[in-house]
Amino acid sequence: MTGFPGDAEFGFELVTCRWAERAWPPHREADTVPIVARQLGTRKRRWDTVVVEADPEGLAARAAFGAETLDSDRLHIVRNASDEWAWYRDALPDPGYPWRYVREAIHRADARGAVETRRDGNRIQIRQVAPYPDWVRRIVAIENKPDLSASAARRLGDQLDHDVSTALADEVWVATAATGETVEPALLEDLPVEAGVLALSADGDHPIPDADVTWLPATLDPTTDTTLPAAEKAEKRLRLAERAYGAGWRSYVETMRPDCRSFELRERASAFVPWCDAKDCHQTAAECSGSCPSFAPEPPAWRTRGWPIEGGPGKAIQRLLARRRRRHR
């Protein structure tokens, strides 16, 4: 695992996300734009890395609805609003839940410019700002296991079997750290043959990771009924893609404490990875919290001397990652 940050899966996961952002897909030609996110999924299944292969024109059209995620309630509105003014109950199909929640979602959508509203007496009328585009071509799920031990492979095998039988994603992969052996150990584990295997390597001479496709994945068909009906899968896939669009993979900083005086970002294998100066290691997302015994808030002077008015180093880190997230979206 030379060249990867720390011993935890978290650092390897960030490197995998950065590699996917630059090099996806590694096994075929595609004219798509990869939107990469981490720790996304459904109530029953969460993936380490999700790659949404977006149609370039559709992705550009998606920007008309803002940079944030459209949740299921707002998706119901923007996908069904017409280009003519109409009372919202005439414009929208029955949502299957009380209309008062629809009105709340309309106000939230209007506040962010995703739909237009006006009053006609006591009635709220809506109109689309633009047609909601068909921007999602494929969804790829990746599990990150830098050190794939036999016990980890058994647990992962069950998870991948679920992914294959559900066919919510178009492809499922396992990303592991390259060992340099003639046959990568991941190929000797009892994993579903439908799952692809990526072996990532990084060293000091080549800071950008290389990835060898050691096993090609099968192409799954999300448009067919499996353990989930095809219509339900289509809705879940769109909600998943929207969450990936809004969150990206750099959102890890939102659940960590960049306002700690010991929090830093260090570039490892082309990715910015958190570093704890107090512990002298790459910390995990779970341990970087206010309950950490080494947590020390930034001194107020850091926010007023030599730093932007908006805040100190922690705020600067958040702005840096937010800019990169917007750029790569």
Side-chain angles (χ1 to χ4, degrees):
M1 290 173 57
T2 302
F4 291 111
D7 298 324
E9 289 185 13
F10 175 62
F12 182 79
E13 185 174 293
L14 298 185
V15 172
T16 301
C17 289
R18 177 59 175 145
W19 165 81
E21 193 173 63
R22 298 173 66 117
W24 192 267
H27 59 306
R28 53 183 165 80
E29 296 294 326
D31 61 345
T32 55
V33 178
I35 302 296
V36 183
R38 55 176 295 274
Q39 295 299 317
L40 291 185
T42 65
R43 186 183 305 173
K44 296 182 178 180
R45 181 74 171 99
R46 181 178 293 271
W47 294 307
D48 294 335
T49 301
V50 171
V51 182
V52 179
E53 297 183 14
D55 174 79
E57 293 184 2
L59 183 62
R62 167 59 184 80
F65 300 94
E68 297 178 4
T69 296
L70 290 172
D71 58 29
S72 58
D73 292 340
R74 285 181 286 189
L75 270 175
H76 179 71
I77 295 164
V78 301
R79 293 174 68 192
N80 291 289
S82 67
D83 58 357
E84 300 288 341
W85 288 108
W87 182 37
Y88 74 94
R89 288 205 187 190
D90 288 339
L92 305 176
D94 190 332
Y97 49 84
W99 284 101
R100 66 178 181 275
Y101 298 119
V102 177
R103 291 194 298 272
E104 293 173 4
I106 288 173
H107 291 311
R108 288 189 288 115
D110 179 44
R112 57 171 290 181
V115 71
E116 295 180 326
T117 66
R118 73 178 185 183
R119 287 277 183 176
D120 181 18
N122 291 327
R123 292 188 167 189
I124 300 174
Q125 293 187 334
I126 63 174
R127 184 174 67 178
Q128 65 179 210
V129 296
Y132 184 82
D134 182 16
W135 63 278
V136 181
R137 289 190 184 172
R138 305 174 84 249
I139 294 179
V140 177
I142 304 174
E143 285 296 315
N144 300 308
K145 295 294 179 185
D147 183 12
L148 192 60
S149 63
S151 59
R154 285 193 295 271
R155 293 191 298 271
L156 185 59
D158 291 339
Q159 294 173 333
L160 295 176
D161 280 331
H162 174 271
D163 296 339
V164 171
S165 62
T166 304
L168 184 60
D170 296 87
E171 291 175 359
V172 293
W173 290 79
V174 177
T176 187
T179 63
E181 299 181 20
T182 304
V183 178
E184 289 292 339
L187 295 177
L188 304 178
E189 300 294 346
D190 187 18
L191 301 176
V193 295
E194 295 89 349
V197 178
L198 285 166
L200 271 68
S201 59
D203 56 47
D205 296 330
H206 299 87
I208 299 175
D210 291 324
D212 290 329
V213 178
T214 60
W215 188 267
L216 284 170
T219 299
L220 308 177
D221 188 357
T223 66
T224 60
D225 291 335
T226 54
T227 54
L228 283 177
E232 182 179 349
K233 282 193 287 186
E235 290 297 321
K236 286 181 180 292
R237 283 166 58 85
L238 183 55
R239 290 199 295 268
L240 188 68
E242 274 289 339
R243 289 167 60 199
Y245 181 90
W249 62 271
R250 295 173 177 85
S251 57
Y252 63 84
V253 75
E254 296 168 6
T255 58
M256 301 180 78
R257 296 306 302 259
D259 58 328
C260 176
R261 66 191 305 161
S262 298
F263 188 97
E264 299 178 7
L265 288 182
R266 294 192 174 182
E267 189 170 4
R268 294 290 185 270
S270 187
F272 282 127
V273 180
W275 173 268
C276 179
D277 195 49
K279 298 180 179 179
D280 198 33
C281 69
H282 290 287
Q283 73 275 39
T284 66
E287 66 183 324
C288 187
S289 65
S291 61
C292 173
S294 300
F295 174 71
E298 294 174 341
W302 285 15
R303 302 187 179 100
T304 58
R305 295 179 183 174
W307 290 93
I309 295 175
E310 292 82 357
K315 289 294 184 182
I317 288 172
Q318 290 175 316
R319 289 194 298 272
L320 169 65
L321 295 179
R323 286 196 304 270
R324 285 179 170 252
R325 179 165 49 180
R326 287 194 299 270
R327 188 173 74 207
H328 288 284
R329 185 187 289 118

